[in-house]
């Protein structure tokens, strides 16, 4: 399938964004804490709308990419959303409850409570790589927490963005959920709106711009960013399990996944056999890369060229390049397909070891011991994900305790992301805050602390004027606390 490089105009059709935000805020103020049955109905409507249009979503995404395997859209977008909605419907009522919290001894018999409260209007800016999932998963959290939401999808997936606008427009009024389509100018204006919370998913560089725009309104942000996620292979690893899982993590969506393994750290003696096995496994998964509906294209010519430049730069600096398959290069270029490509003999000067790859190129870095591998990881920006393959539990625990990353999968790549009961988010340059499941509910709620004083407060013992009696009381408190 040949993709027409179509980008949305840099304007948004429909009402002015400030007008939509004002309408959403005013509707929220009129009904600031919707009960569970209303939130549940919204989540059910959302789930049904996505389900009813599943095939259209698959088609739109595939056309935006040039080719996106329908199965990948099912696995990594539709099923993830289905799981997120199911989980939210099952648990949100419980998450909404007021929690009783302990009260310090000297203030008893008063009581303390945590009361979750909707924030108001949530802004959601999403990227192109999983364009449906990364718009809808934050929306599930926002609606479950009782908010209204405005979404700005990526200009790189115009068909999906238009479809999303149309489908959500059939089930939600503009003052409930609104989709703003358009290019970077629209995105920039969107990020400057005084939302009650803004969730941005995208690159670290744009994340900084968005955070600066939000800071002008003191709008709190969740930043879901990218980076270079390492994979450490220990001597104790079961390679027959590791190889297919790494190839799958790196070739799903042609490596255009925020948590794809970016590079591998492993002892040098094993690099040759490992590289060969990776290439063989990729060829088994994809007997051809060109013309194969199972294999996803690179989203745009600019990204295709960026990946080729990374490879040329590495090769010029002495890297060895091994490409899976033997497809015709011109055909691959025409279809923007990049087969799994293993890069060895890497050095820190290579761009491929400096930038997030976001494609199916897998550099391998020689690292003889666990300390070498951890020192390498710790010397870089804190990654969004870290993968460790091995059976030695002591070493595994050292990695978990001594490295910092947004999340971790052990003996797997990527799939910690879809576990609804653990937070999904980065740390430092890979992000700020987290969502999914209850963590999303809390990110989009104000967890209000409430103190209820009793009729029989001991506080009056500390009222002025301060006397010997006050000092006696203070001395007693010092002994107790
Ligand atoms: P991007 O940062 O270029 O764009 C993301 C969104 O930001 C788009 O909707 C775009 O319109 C908008 N945008 C662009 N310029 C803007 C500006 N000046 N002001 C406000 N908004 C602006 O990212 P991308 O290329 O769409 O996605 C790839 C990146 O996203 C990678 O770095 C990847 O790792 C990261 N990512 C992270 C996650 C995560 O959950 N942590 C998930 C997917 C992708």
């Amino acid at each position: 399938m040949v993709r027409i490089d179509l980008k949305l105009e840099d304007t948004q059709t429909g009402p002015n964004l400030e007008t939509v935000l004002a309408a959403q805020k005013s509707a929220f103020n009129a009904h600031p804490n919707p009960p569970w049955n209303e939130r549940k109905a919204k989540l059910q409507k959302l789930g049904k709308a996505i389900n009813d249009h599943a095939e259209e979503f698959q088609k739109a995404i595939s056309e935006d990419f040039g080719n996106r395997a329908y199965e990948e859209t099912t696995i990594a977008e539709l099923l993830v959303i289905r799981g997120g909605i199911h989980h939210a419907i099952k648990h949100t009522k419980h998450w909404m409850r007021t929690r009783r919290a302990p009260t310090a001894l000297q203030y008893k018999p008063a009581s303390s409570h945590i009361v979750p409260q909707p924030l108001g209007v949530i802004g959601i800016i999403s990227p192109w790589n999983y364009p449906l999932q990364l718009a809808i998963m934050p929306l599930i959290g926002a609606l479950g927490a009782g908010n209204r939401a405005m979404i700005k999808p990526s200009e790189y997936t115009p068909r999906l963005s238009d479809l999303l606008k149309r489908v959500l427009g059939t089930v939600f009024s503009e003052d409930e959920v609104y989709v703003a389509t358009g290019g970077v100018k629209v995105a920039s204006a969107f990020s400057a709106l005084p939302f009650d919370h803004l969730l941005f998913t995208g690159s670290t560089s744009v994340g900084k711009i968005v955070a600066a725009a939000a800071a002008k309104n003191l709008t709190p942000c969740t930043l879901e960013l990218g980076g270079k996620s390492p994979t450490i292979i220990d001597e104790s690893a079961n390679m027959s399990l590791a190889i297919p899982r790494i190839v799958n993590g790196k070739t799903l969506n042609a490596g255009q996944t925020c948590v794809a393994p970016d590079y591998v750290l492993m002892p040098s003696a094993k690099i040759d056999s490992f590289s060969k096995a990776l290439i063989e496994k990729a060829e088994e998964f994809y007997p051809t890369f060109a013309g194969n509906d199972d294999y996803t294209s690179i989203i745009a010519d600019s990204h295709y060229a960026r990946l080729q430049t990374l490879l040329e730069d590495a090769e010029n600096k002495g890297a060895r390049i091994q490409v899976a398959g033997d497809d015709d290069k011109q055909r691959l270029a025409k279809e923007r397909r990049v087969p799994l490509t293993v890069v060895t003999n890497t050095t820190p000067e290579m761009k491929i070891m400096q930038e997030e790859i976001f494609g199916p190129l897998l550099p391998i870095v020689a690292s003889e011991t666990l300390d070498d591998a951890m020192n390498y990881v710790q010397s870089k920006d804190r990654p969004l994900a870290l993968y460790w393959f091995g059976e030695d539990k002591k070493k595994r625990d050292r990695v978990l305790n001594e490295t910092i990353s947004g999340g971790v999968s052990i003996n797997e790549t990527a799939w910690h992301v879809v576990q609804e009961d653990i937070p999904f988010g980065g740390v430092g340059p890979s992000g700020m805050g987290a969502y999914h499941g209850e963590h999303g509910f809390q990110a989009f709620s104000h967890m209000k602390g409430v103190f209820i004083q009793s009729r029989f407060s001991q506080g009056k013992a500390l009222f002025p004027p301060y006397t010997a009696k006050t000092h006696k009381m203070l001395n007693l408190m010092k002994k107790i606390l």
Side-chain angles (χ1 to χ4, degrees), residues 125-130 134 152-156 182-184 186-191 200-207 209-210 213 223-227 256-259 303 356 358 384 424-426 430 435:
I125 302 181
S126 49
W128 52 261
N129 63 326
Y130 292 99
L134 293 168
K152 160 65 185 74
S154 170
E155 60 281 5
Y156 278 92
V184 172
V186 177
S188 179
F190 189 94
S191 63
F200 168 81
T201 306
S203 58
T204 300
S205 56
V206 176
I209 301 172
V210 168
L223 300 178
E224 297 282 339
L225 309 177
Q256 301 165 106
T257 302
C258 58
V259 289
H303 280 278
E356 178 181 8
F358 220 55
L384 182 59
F424 174 49
S430 60
Y435 74 119

Side-chain angles (χ1 to χ4, degrees), residues 78-90:
L78 297 167
L79 286 178
V80 178
I81 291 169
R82 214 180 157 101
I85 291 181
H86 180 75
H87 190 79
I89 289 177
K90 195 162 167 205

